[in-house]
Amino acid sequence: MNKLNTHVVIIGAGPSGLLLGQLLGRQGIDTIILERVSGDYVLGRIRAGILEQGTVDMLREAGVSQRMEAEGEVHHGVDIANNGVVTHIDLHALTGGKTVMCYGQVEVTRDLMAARAEASWPTYYEVSDVQPQAVTSQQPTVTFSYKGARYQISCDYIAGCDGYHGVSRQTIPAEKRTEHERIYPFGWLGLLSDTPPVSAELIYCKHARGFALASRRSATRSRYYLQVPTDDKVENWSDDAFWAELKRRIPPAAAARLVTGKSIEKSIAPLRSFVCEPMQYGRLFLVGDAAHIVPPTGAKGLNLAVADVTILYRILCRVYQEGDTACALQYSEIALRRVWNTERFSWWMSNMLHDYGATEVSGMAGHTFGRFMTSELDYYLSSEAGRTLIAEQYVGLPFETIKGSESK
Ligand code: RFL
Ligand code: PHB
């Protein structure tokens, strides 16, 4: 058994794990990151595109914002279309000057990987059999296999940044955690293409045939999504079929501008709301998708992960710089306040914008639920108060301040 030591073991090199490692490293707090797959595989997963102001600020604080500032697009608004009728949500005007940044998760991850490589902080890719142990003791350990050898890391804390299918959440005994879950009867079929996007800003489209989203990565790269049944398969969708269906669901003016082309990537993601409570057990903390999943309709998954990272980072700074170890006990409570608010927003936006068909929801026929949701969307879009409510949450609520344990 090869023995290693560090302050914090981070399981998972997705955006949560890499950002936490970067922020802690800059404060002189040592980390070792363990990742199950290769770096290229991580970068092959096309996911989020929209960053809240708070996320952008944390990437700046982590010293990895240079390329984002140069290549990312600041968006001042989004459009919501209801059966072809477009309402503009002026994020900037409705929130006193806030905006969002359009910059892909793949690029955020690439920038974080480059910064970690540059700093020569240890990262083990393609590890297997990762096991957090003794997490309720003062000195937890993590064991893993790497290139045929077995390793053991002694550490102070473990950050479980290993996504929904990771090992960290399973380390919390089943009787010590409560899991809340809602699985939606539809998924998103995403397509990436090197074609000019239909719109300078995003268009969220509610349509009788199902939801569609027109998003982008740059002036020459588009990202589109279609609501599809949960059991649908990518193989059922040729590029031509995708473009034809998208054209039907987006507003007519956008459809007239649509430039189609060959897809670079096409995949289906199921929609799920999920929360694990609590988000910590002894010295193990769950961060990002390891603790919660939101449906992507509010563009919140990555942003919520960054909010967890921010809370944990600020707590660990107090622990290491001021010796305030009791401060760590607050992590789950603080994180869950934001988690539930974001879960609610993402669930609400998903319900308003998708079509449930005949599938029963909340004890009523899908068509009846659909009528309520169409009316709800009409109402919120028609009043400035309603649009403000959507805008305020879309750009992201401010982060909570972390107080020392003595001031609680
Ligand atoms: P990740 O990205 O899943 O990374 C977890 C990492 O842990 C590794 N891992 C392990 N490593 C070691 N040992 C084990 N036993 C391990 N098990 C797993 C995995 O290989 C992986 O590398 O979680 P993280 O870092 O918490 O990041 C979360 C975000 O990826 C996620 O919330 C967002 O992508 C969600 N999301 C969006 N979020 C936004 O904020 N804005 C958006 O516009 C947005 N759009 C989206 C999205 C997610 C989507 N999909 C595909 C689910 C659009 C889509 C289509
Ligand atoms: C994306 O561009 O991938 C994206 C944007 C907004 C969302 C979800 C995904 O709500």
Side-chain angles (χ1 to χ4, degrees):
M1 179 82 82
N2 299 286
K3 304 244 173 177
L4 304 169
N5 266 294
T6 194
H7 291 128
V8 182
V9 172
I10 298 176
I11 307 176
S16 302
L18 288 167
L19 178 60
L20 182 64
Q22 182 67 14
L23 289 162
L24 292 176
R26 283 163 68 91
Q27 298 295 326
I29 301 168
D30 295 336
T31 60
I32 294 177
I33 299 188
L34 304 177
E35 168 59 54
R36 194 170 48 82
V37 298
S38 69
D40 282 346
Y41 189 93
V42 172
L43 290 175
R45 294 187 297 226
I46 314 292
R47 290 180 171 179
I50 293 291
L51 310 180
E52 296 174 356
Q53 186 64 56
T55 300
V56 168
D57 292 344
M58 289 316 293
L59 293 171
R60 284 195 185 117
E61 189 167 335
V64 292
S65 64
Q66 210 179 353
R67 204 161 63 91
M68 174 185 70
E69 319 267 11
E71 297 174 19
E73 299 177 343
V74 175
H75 286 196
H76 287 73
V78 291
D79 283 341
I80 300 184
N82 192 354
N83 272 310
V85 180
V86 180
T87 302
H88 183 61
I89 308 281
D90 189 335
L91 300 172
H92 190 261
L94 293 168
T95 62
K98 292 189 183 159
T99 54
V100 291
M101 173 77 81
C102 186
Y103 188 65
Q105 174 169 332
V106 172
E107 305 313 318
V108 172
T109 309
R110 199 189 303 281
D111 296 344
L112 284 163
M113 278 180 178
R116 190 164 179 92
E118 171 86 31
S120 303
W121 292 324
T123 313
Y124 294 78
Y125 283 98
E126 298 182 82
V127 300
S128 58
D129 200 15
V130 175
Q131 293 294 337
Q133 278 154 7
V135 299
T136 54
S137 76
Q138 298 292 309
Q139 179 131 81
T141 57
V142 179
T143 52
F144 65 101
S145 300
Y146 178 66
K147 293 194 171 164
R150 198 77 191 138
Y151 289 77
Q152 182 186 55
I153 316 175
S154 300
C155 58
D156 300 328
Y157 296 100
I158 302 169
C161 303
D162 48 353
Y164 180 69
H165 299 287
V167 66
S168 299
R169 190 174 67 253
Q170 308 305 332
T171 305
I172 305 180
E175 69 278 10
K176 301 278 186 198
R177 61 184 143 96
T178 305
E179 297 189 345
H180 305 268
E181 185 167 52
R182 160 135 183 74
I183 296 172
Y184 297 79
F186 37 73
W188 279 19
L189 168 66
L191 179 145
L192 189 71
S193 63
D194 276 328
T195 53
V198 282
S199 166
E201 293 177 337
L202 273 58
I203 318 175
Y204 288 83
C205 313
K206 180 185 179 79
H207 193 275
R209 297 180 64 90
F211 170 79
L213 171 61
S215 181
R216 52 189 282 142
R217 290 292 179 271
S218 71
T220 55
R221 182 167 282 194
S222 302
R223 179 69 166 160
Y224 297 108
Y225 295 97
L226 292 176
Q227 173 187 344
V228 294
T230 351
D231 55 359
D232 210 343
K233 299 268 175 299
V234 179
E235 302 78 71
N236 297 339
W237 289 88
S238 64
D239 288 358
D240 286 347
F242 185 99
W243 294 120
E245 186 58 27
L246 182 71
K247 222 167 176 164
R248 293 188 191 106
R249 297 188 192 181
I250 61 179
R257 287 193 303 267
L258 181 67
V259 180
T260 62
K262 198 172 153 16
S263 63
I264 313 171
E265 192 263 5
K266 233 178 340 190
S267 53
I268 295 184
L271 261 63
R272 184 193 303 273
S273 298
F274 174 84
V275 180
C276 170
E277 295 180 310
M279 285 171 57
Q280 70 190 104
Y281 182 60
R283 289 177 168 241
L284 167 72
F285 304 99
L286 301 183
V287 179
D289 280 18
H292 41 70
I293 298 287
V294 290
T297 326
K300 289 290 169 236
L302 172 60
N303 291 302
L304 190 55
V306 170
D308 291 351
V309 168
T310 304
I311 296 165
L312 185 56
Y313 160 62
R314 291 190 177 147
I315 283 176
L316 290 175
C317 283
R318 288 195 64 90
V319 167
Y320 283 99
Q321 292 164 359
E322 294 166 46
D324 183 8
T325 45
C327 184
L329 300 172
Q330 312 171 71
Y331 170 72
S332 179
E333 187 190 327
I334 296 173
L336 281 168
R337 273 198 283 275
R338 191 182 185 91
V339 167
W340 277 112
N341 180 62
T342 308
E343 290 281 350
R344 180 195 54 72
F345 176 66
S346 304
W347 163 79
W348 180 64
M349 289 285 279
S350 300
N351 281 342
M352 282 198 301
L353 292 171
H354 289 79
D355 188 71
Y356 277 85
T359 312
E360 188 181 299
V361 199
S362 305
M364 64 181 108
H367 295 302
T368 312
F369 184 75
R371 287 283 195 277
F372 278 118
M373 288 299 114
T374 302
S375 171
E376 177 127 337
L377 183 63
D378 279 341
Y379 176 64
Y380 277 87
L381 293 183
S382 67
S383 91
E384 184 166 320
R387 291 192 299 276
T388 305
L389 226 139
I390 294 173
E392 173 175 284
Q393 302 196 55
Y394 194 82
V395 300
L397 300 174
F399 292 145
E400 214 176 287
T401 325
I402 309 293
K403 298 191 194 77
S405 57
E406 73 285 355
S407 55
K408 275 203 85 190

